[in-house]
Amino acid sequence: MITWEDFYTVMCAMIPLYFAMFLAYGSVKWWKIFTPEQCSGINRFVATFAVPVLSFHFIAQNNPYQMDSRFILADTLSKLLVFMVLSLWAALSAAFAGPRRPRRRLDWVITLFSVGTLPNTLVMGIPLLRAMYGDFTQSLMVQLVVLQCIIWYTLLLFLFEYRAATLLIEDQFPGTAAAAITKFEIDGDIISLDGRDPIQAESEIDADGRLRVRIRRSTSSAPGSGMSSSLGITPRRLSNVSGAEIFSVNTPARQPQTALADQLTVRDITFGYRSASPHPSGYASSDAYSLQPTPRASNFNELEICTPVWVRSPAVAGGVKLAWEGCGERCGQVDKDVGGEKDLSFRSTSKFVVRKEDEIEMEGEAEQEMPAALVMLRLILTVVGRKLSRNPNTYSSILGLLWSLISFKWDISMPSLIKESIKIISDAGLGMAMFSLGLFMALQPRIIACGPKMAAISMAIRFLNGPTVMSAASMVVGLRGVRLHTAIVQAALPQGIVPFVFAREYGLHPDILSTGVIFGMLVSLPVTLLYYIILGL
């Protein structure tokens, strides 16, 4: 039975975190203490130092030789079960519905997996579970944090990059053309295929008759081949790898004639994405918790306000091919005025209208083929490795794990000078992470960005389906008692932040993940307390 003293202990652990969050919210929303630029600096500190050092601090203190195998197995089994069910649903729907719009099924597999299985374990789970069930739960939560950072976030990033690669291939090599590709060569300044920066795909046939594709930034150098084409990801267009179609984002702007513009269909339009960032796009240096739009050059957390222009493609025989340059839907946001403020919601999906006859024509095309599985795997692993190498949380998790393996194996203590230096930053980590969330909440025009119906569905998946699947997996592996209760409450934590960052970067349902982060933080405390009381009866 849960006593009032137990309840008070939990509140003492959680209220300070929510105090930091609402203090940040009021500082921006009501008192106007911080500007968006200042919020960006705070988030940069949190993303670069506070959260990675906090992760290292917890992981380095955990004994990897005394890990709870059943608890880890239950968590792994629950995630695999959800992933397999979603994959089976996608396969069955594809079998009954045919090949129409297969990418939409993959989109929902990624989103539902993120919502259902990836909670905010580091920031919310450790203090909450430690207050509820004791200090031993910190070790359990740290073990899950390690698995999330090294395995599950990597899997999620792999799925996002696979989706981006299929978009690239469908756009540049529709139909059966892609099956002939034998190798992708990616320039060193390409960090991701997410479409945040304009990229080009150049194709050539080598002496052995094999088709090779080089992917590079379109702004890095002028096209050197008549077979190159600037990538426009959203709408598909027909492509001839031996032809001379050039879609350049660098072509001087020219106003099109009205009569010509009126004759354009969706196939005549390709979208380029021009970023304000001078450096490569991607999950670079430190933006895992940097959530605010900011005017600085960044990867996925800035508000990029681009002026759309029409440009003329100079190398299309028999006429003029026009390309529209703008921010594109991958920015994941619309620039609207709402009460004199910028609307930073994530509900936009397109900046053009697809006519019904064009949609029918697309559906009547030949089924899309892809390169060989090994070719695709090499492409995706390359960009995933580059993105992970620029994420400080990757280094903090791996270094923390390596140090714990060494220190607990040979009983080596960290020098006090280093230990205290890390501690002074990690002690601020939890509070600063919650403060960063409060800043993010204050800069949003609405808490429920995806609408009440979708918000209700996502909350049900997060707070009902997650604990249900976890309890079933825990019972299968024989988890009982307090550890079972810990597993169930941990599955009812609010939405993790990193999945939202990925969703916004790749333009895949960021409104749903944003609602999960913001609204989930508000309702998670009463929900987890309810689970705590019910399980304690």
Side-chain angles (χ1 to χ4, degrees), residues 391-407:
N391 178 12
N393 289 301
T394 301
Y395 294 103
S396 66
S397 300
I398 294 177
L399 290 176
L401 183 59
L402 289 176
W403 174 254
S404 64
L405 288 170
I406 294 172
S407 62

Side-chain angles (χ1 to χ4, degrees), residues 182-319:
T182 59
K183 185 178 181 180
F184 286 99
E185 297 177 355
I186 309 174
D187 281 10
D189 59 352
I190 298 295
I191 309 302
S192 173
L193 305 178
D194 57 14
R196 296 284 296 180
D197 283 331
I199 58 178
Q200 288 182 330
E202 295 181 351
S203 57
E204 64 178 2
I205 299 177
D206 60 16
D208 297 328
R210 295 174 297 183
L211 181 62
R212 298 173 179 266
V213 175
R214 177 192 174 194
I215 300 174
R216 64 180 179 85
R217 296 183 69 188
S218 63
T219 56
S220 60
S221 60
S225 171
M227 295 181 294
S228 67
S229 60
S230 173
L231 172 61
I233 291 183
T234 304
R236 290 183 54 185
R237 61 174 175 82
L238 294 178
S239 175
N240 184 356
V241 297
S242 61
E245 296 184 30
I246 298 179
F247 292 77
S248 175
V249 295
N250 299 318
T251 309
R254 188 177 303 176
Q255 294 294 333
Q257 297 179 0
T258 305
L260 178 60
D262 291 341
Q263 296 175 3
L264 292 174
T265 66
V266 69
R267 292 186 176 281
D268 298 317
I269 300 175
T270 182
F271 281 72
Y273 300 98
R274 179 166 51 199
S275 173
S277 174
H279 58 76
S281 167
Y283 190 57
S285 67
S286 57
D287 285 332
Y289 277 75
S290 185
L291 304 175
Q292 273 74 333
T294 168
R296 68 174 173 82
S298 181
N299 308 307
F300 50 77
N301 63 333
E302 70 263 31
L303 173 59
E304 297 179 347
I305 305 175
C306 305
T307 303
V309 294
W310 286 94
V311 297
R312 180 186 296 269
S313 177
V316 180

Side-chain angles (χ1 to χ4, degrees), residues 360-537:
I360 295 174
E361 186 179 355
M362 285 181 182
E363 292 174 358
E365 292 178 356
E367 183 176 352
Q368 176 68 44
E369 293 190 12
M370 287 291 164
L374 185 59
V375 175
M376 288 289 291
L377 183 62
R378 288 174 179 172
L379 170 65
I380 298 167
L381 289 179
T382 299
V383 291
V384 168
R386 291 181 182 181
K387 295 193 76 171
L388 290 176
S389 67
R390 286 160 174 80
N391 178 12
N393 289 301
T394 301
Y395 294 103
S396 66
S397 300
I398 294 177
L399 290 176
L401 183 59
L402 289 176
W403 174 254
S404 64
L405 288 170
I406 294 172
S407 62
F408 285 97
K409 178 70 174 179
W410 290 287
D411 196 21
I412 300 175
S413 299
M414 185 177 295
S416 298
L417 184 64
I418 300 177
K419 182 178 180 180
E420 293 301 320
S421 300
I422 293 174
K423 185 176 183 297
I424 197 171
I425 301 296
S426 65
D427 286 347
L430 284 177
M432 290 302 299
M434 294 298 291
F435 195 87
S436 178
L437 280 173
L439 297 178
F440 172 66
M441 291 174 57
L443 290 178
Q444 304 309 308
R446 60 182 68 88
I447 293 178
I448 302 178
C450 62
K453 181 178 179 181
M454 186 57 67
I457 295 174
S458 62
M459 292 299 105
I461 294 174
R462 173 72 265 154
F463 296 115
L464 295 178
N465 181 74
T468 301
V469 176
M470 179 56 115
S471 60
S474 300
M475 292 180 182
V476 168
V477 301
L479 210 59
R480 298 291 187 271
V482 177
R483 291 188 300 166
L484 173 61
H485 298 172
T486 302
I488 295 173
V489 175
Q490 179 269 336
L493 293 172
Q495 177 65 52
I497 300 174
V498 173
F500 160 70
V501 173
F502 285 157
R504 183 176 178 183
E505 179 181 359
Y506 290 87
L508 178 59
H509 304 140
D511 52 349
I512 298 176
L513 275 298
S514 169
T515 302
V517 171
I518 299 175
F519 190 63
M521 286 295 299
L522 298 177
V523 303
S524 64
L525 183 58
V527 169
T528 51
L529 285 174
L530 181 62
Y531 276 109
Y532 179 54
I533 294 172
I534 293 175
L535 293 172
L537 295 178

